[in-house]
Amino acid sequence: MCFTPIVSLSTAILEFVVATAILLFFRKSLINRSFSLLIYILGFYQFTEFMLCTSNYPFFWAKMGFITYSFLPAVGLHFIMKLTNRKYNHITLYIVPVIFSLTALLKPGFIIKSTCTTFFVIVIKDLFNSLFSYIYGLYYFGFILLFCYFLLKSFNKEKNQLKRKLYAVIFAATLITLLPALVLFLIFPAFNIMFPSVYCEFAVLFTVAALIASYLDNKIQKKK
């Protein structure tokens, strides 16, 4: 988790508050619901980490955490496809996280170990001792690379300066959120089983960027 249970809980509350504020104060924005959904998902993941460390059901909350962050790339790509006016198929976007989530729910012994340490949560899953680990990694980072590509392509074609700023903020938020955690993972391979916990700390920056992006989009829609 992100350092201590109280930090995880506080971050979850912060993300729930920001997501709700985006819905309430940027009503003209066309992306407020998408951003709010992403932030609610991040907030719920923080809550699962808090519960993992404080409840008597760590394996259950470890499963819930896995399922929660497994949907983030699909929801993110869905949002970007909609934002950049690209055609998409809901089944194609969500089939992989649904399969992994069902595996987590139905596979006996899916969670091998679930421990709350001083700084991180360590969760070891049976799924990640097989070929499925590579499929999962390809899905997770592949979807993120895809929506970065779509954002850059739309940024280069867009003439409206406010929209260009909007695309730039979302792209920067993605990099700021993902790259530091990924660099730590590559430098310290032992962080493999702790990647979601490391990642969630930087995801707070995405919440701030979402607030800025929703403000920009709200401004764009008011000018129409």
Side-chain angles (χ1 to χ4, degrees), residues 28 30 85 160 162-163 217-224:
K28 289 187 178 293
L30 298 178
N85 297 313
N160 185 303
L162 276 177
K163 280 192 176 181
D217 188 54
N218 198 66
K219 197 172 179 180
I220 291 169
Q221 301 311 318
K222 280 184 177 180
K223 288 190 174 184
K224 287 185 177 180

Side-chain angles (χ1 to χ4, degrees), residues 141 177-187 195 198:
F141 295 106
T177 301
L178 186 66
L179 282 182
L182 188 58
V183 167
L184 282 174
F185 166 68
L186 292 174
I187 294 175
F195 180 79
V198 179

Side-chain angles (χ1 to χ4, degrees), residues 140-152:
Y140 212 96
F141 295 106
F143 270 39
I144 292 172
L145 287 175
L146 265 179
F147 67 65
C148 284
Y149 168 75
F150 290 141
L151 274 174
L152 282 176

Side-chain angles (χ1 to χ4, degrees), residues 25-188:
F25 294 108
F26 302 121
R27 294 184 180 182
K28 289 187 178 293
S29 171
L30 298 178
I31 63 174
N32 61 348
R33 292 182 181 179
S34 299
F35 262 135
S36 294
L37 176 59
L38 281 167
I39 298 171
Y40 279 131
I41 292 173
L42 286 170
F44 184 73
Y45 173 68
Q46 296 276 6
F47 180 72
T48 66
E49 297 252 285
F50 168 74
M51 293 301 293
L52 190 156
C53 288
T54 58
S55 76
N56 295 322
Y57 306 99
F59 279 29
F60 170 79
W61 288 107
K63 281 188 179 185
M64 291 301 101
F66 171 78
I67 292 169
T68 301
Y69 67 70
S70 291
F71 275 91
L72 281 170
V75 174
L77 184 57
H78 185 174
F79 163 47
I80 296 303
M81 298 288 275
K82 186 177 179 181
L83 176 67
T84 56
N85 297 313
R86 284 178 166 81
K87 293 182 180 179
Y88 57 90
N89 183 288
H90 287 83
I91 295 176
T92 304
L93 284 177
Y94 289 101
I95 186 65
V96 176
V98 167
I99 289 172
F100 277 103
S101 297
L102 288 174
T103 302
L105 289 172
L106 301 176
K107 181 178 173 60
F110 175 77
I111 302 296
I112 298 173
K113 180 181 179 181
S114 180
T115 306
C116 184
T117 68
T118 304
F119 294 105
F120 302 109
V121 159
I122 297 176
V123 177
I124 301 177
K125 312 166 193 72
D126 184 43
L127 179 72
F128 292 89
N129 293 324
S130 67
L131 176 64
F132 285 102
S133 62
Y134 298 101
I135 298 173
Y136 186 85
L138 183 63
Y139 151 70
Y140 212 96
F141 295 106
F143 270 39
I144 292 172
L145 287 175
L146 265 179
F147 67 65
C148 284
Y149 168 75
F150 290 141
L151 274 174
L152 282 176
K153 196 170 181 180
S154 295
F155 175 84
N156 290 329
K157 288 183 177 180
E158 185 58 58
K159 303 299 181 184
N160 185 303
Q161 290 304 308
L162 276 177
K163 280 192 176 181
R164 284 172 65 87
K165 286 182 181 179
L166 174 63
Y167 294 149
V169 167
I170 299 172
F171 182 77
T174 304
L175 292 185
I176 291 170
T177 301
L178 186 66
L179 282 182
L182 188 58
V183 167
L184 282 174
F185 166 68
L186 292 174
I187 294 175
F188 304 104

